[in-house]
Amino acid sequence: MAVLPITSHDLQSDYDNAKFRRRSAFKVITQAVLTSNVRRNCGSCGVGKLLALLMIAGLAFLTVAHTNSGISAASEIVQHINVRGEENVITEGHGNAESLKRFWRKPPRLPPRLPPHGKAGNNSLAAEAHNQQHILGSAVRQNKVAEAFRHAWTGYKNYAMGSDELMPLSKRGVDGLGGLGATIVDSLDTAMIMGLNDIVQEAGYWIEKKLPERLNEKGQVNLFETTIRVLGGLLSAYCLSGGENGTTGGWGSRTRLDGPNPAIYLERAQDLADRLMVAFTSSPTPIPYSDVILRERSAHPAPDGLSSTSEVSSLQLEFWYLSKLSGNPKYGDAAMHVLEHLKTLPKFEGLVPIYISPHSGHFSGQNIRLGSRGDSYYEYLVKVWLQQRGAGHGGSDVSYLREMYDEAIKGVKNRLIQKSIPKGLVFVGELPSGEDGSFYPKMDHLVCFLPGTLALGATRGLTKQRAMEEGLMTIEDIENLKLAEDIMKTCYEMYSVTTTGLAPEIAHFHTQEFYEDGLQGGNKSSEFLGDIIIRYADRHNLLRPETVESLFVLHRITQDPKYLEWGWQIFQAFESHTKVDSGGYSSLNDVTILPPPRRDKMETFFLGETLKYLYLLFGDSNVLPLDKFVFNTEAHPLPIIRKGVENDLTSQTQAS
Ligand code: DMJ
């Protein structure tokens, strides 16, 4: 791997000039004496004697300087305090004392340190005030998001407790995900992160008392949806409530968490996974069937016989972590076998079709995209690699996942990235007819997971600054981070271009080959109205998380404050247009008109992902640091396990 040399320009970054500051003559002499050969060669005279001589010379100088220039020591101290640690300048005087002073004068003062991007005032007090304001502003924003979460939960609790999802307009519940109380399990770790203990208790006790009978009695569930939302939610709740190491402090929690004993979450997770395992064991290939009947412990393929590529490749974080916790390798082995099998299949520049057959074990059809049915294949390649690369303890080598990821991203750059006209938004298109077919400029909102994944892959969850300092970023990583920022902007503009400030489910982009007139987002002040095309059928918004997920990751990694502002605007648009007075939030049928017609559904991922990522975006980066935790594709954080430090999460925090 080519590792870029770090140049002084890189290190200088935006504001840290401390290491380039010149030293005073006094410092030069004393440091030379204390650190160089002079000291070693002068063993007989001794450092003490030399320092005493220097002190006498210094005192003589101060006396002369004080008498002739009239600068009082007191005023010098005041001046020193006023500049708060910045280099000081002695007022000009006359005569011999002046020459002496010139000789001893400290170097000219460098510009004061600015906070990143020079956004604050022009001195350190102003910078500090700005920081305080920022911290305050972030706390206010986090509170608003937590209030929104409570509003969503209250609607669900009042009208749909125990159902999978809330229908907020008709004020009732619906079991769209097999009847395991999906909103409860999906929401629990968000409530933990927000420190909403009453909700933690309500959700926790439902899982303790009611989930077992649901697992015994309920029928058909989708393997992927149940794994990412329910299994992932239970495992994350186990970890965050201190199940692994008896403390909640390891991930940055500030509050004590109530609810059942964490062991309950693990028990439920294992019961569920034991039932889901049949999807792997009854398939004739390593590719699992898509549907499971929980009470019968039987599995079958989807009606068309196919599984989605993203679905079979987005189970590994959860099953592998369960193996670590339970000590039973069967879960991780079955899930990892899928990826080992996918490694052997032919691909097109690392890109894969969106369907796969559990009967043949081969991809089906030509359709290549990073939207629905393709998305989290690419996400899990890098996340599973991050999760397992340092695990040791007989764990197999997962470097093949990083290689598959790197190849796939090269394929994305070669074949799927284009710029819109006239304004040049960088977007990710599709190849509906595979490698020989033509490029189609359609981008699902789902693709907006990609900026976050690219950034994570580029720095391994560290801040960009630290990854650069540690020489971890290759030229490709730097390119990928830049691409992440470009696509992030496009995802943000998909919100900004509409009348409501909320993105449509799907956007098309104006290119040389493609244009459809009269299908604009409606926000007359957006400069991208001509670039983004929104067809009537694509104008709905399901409260999806992908854009705010990537804003969270990019803000953690680049520390660019614009991502906070973009996230805040999106949150406010959700508040204005999707909040239902009687409780909960609703999806929308059309984001381009006011008031937007509503769709009677609050998806579980609004609580599990969207509000969680917004809350974390505005918060402290030591909470769930990205080099210590990996978020599954439903935003449930799971710890990255490293050899020898599995139970020592508390000792590690992300450097800012
Ligand atoms: C979630 O269930 C997951 O993020 C999944 O990977 C994609 N779709 C939804 C959210 O949009």
Side-chain angles (χ1 to χ4, degrees), residues 186 224-225 228-229 310 314 372 375-376 379-380 445-446 449 505 542-546 549 603-606 609-610 613 632-635:
D186 223 0
F224 161 77
E225 296 293 358
I228 65 168
R229 299 187 203 216
S310 63
S314 308
S372 61
D375 49 4
S376 47
E379 179 186 349
Y380 267 41
H445 181 274
L446 287 166
F449 80 94
E505 176 73 357
L542 305 183
L543 311 170
R544 285 198 191 276
E546 290 75 20
E549 164 186 349
E603 301 281 349
T604 76
F605 48 70
F606 184 61
E609 297 195 65
T610 310
Y613 281 129
N632 86 340
T633 192
E634 188 74 6

Side-chain angles (χ1 to χ4, degrees), residues 336 384-386 388-390 396-403:
M336 290 305 291
V384 176
W385 173 75
L386 284 169
Q388 298 177 23
R389 75 195 158 123
S396 52
D397 178 12
V398 287
S399 54
Y400 74 94
L401 294 172
R402 179 73 205 203
E403 286 157 20

Side-chain angles (χ1 to χ4, degrees), residues 43-117:
S44 58
C45 59
V47 173
K49 282 180 195 164
L50 193 58
L51 280 177
L53 274 173
L54 282 169
M55 272 174 63
I56 291 164
L59 277 174
F61 160 71
L62 281 175
T63 312
V64 174
H66 175 73
T67 315
N68 290 298
S69 70
I71 296 174
S72 75
S75 72
E76 216 173 312
I77 289 166
V78 169
Q79 191 182 5
H80 181 74
I81 290 171
N82 281 344
V83 296
R84 290 168 55 94
E86 294 296 339
E87 300 278 1
N88 212 346
V89 182
I90 298 171
T91 307
E92 296 291 315
H94 304 283
N96 291 340
E98 175 51 25
S99 326
L100 254 178
K101 275 190 303 177
R102 242 186 241 130
F103 176 73
W104 288 107
R105 184 178 299 146
K106 293 185 178 180
R109 199 163 80 188
L110 291 169
R113 283 167 166 229
L114 292 175
H117 314 286

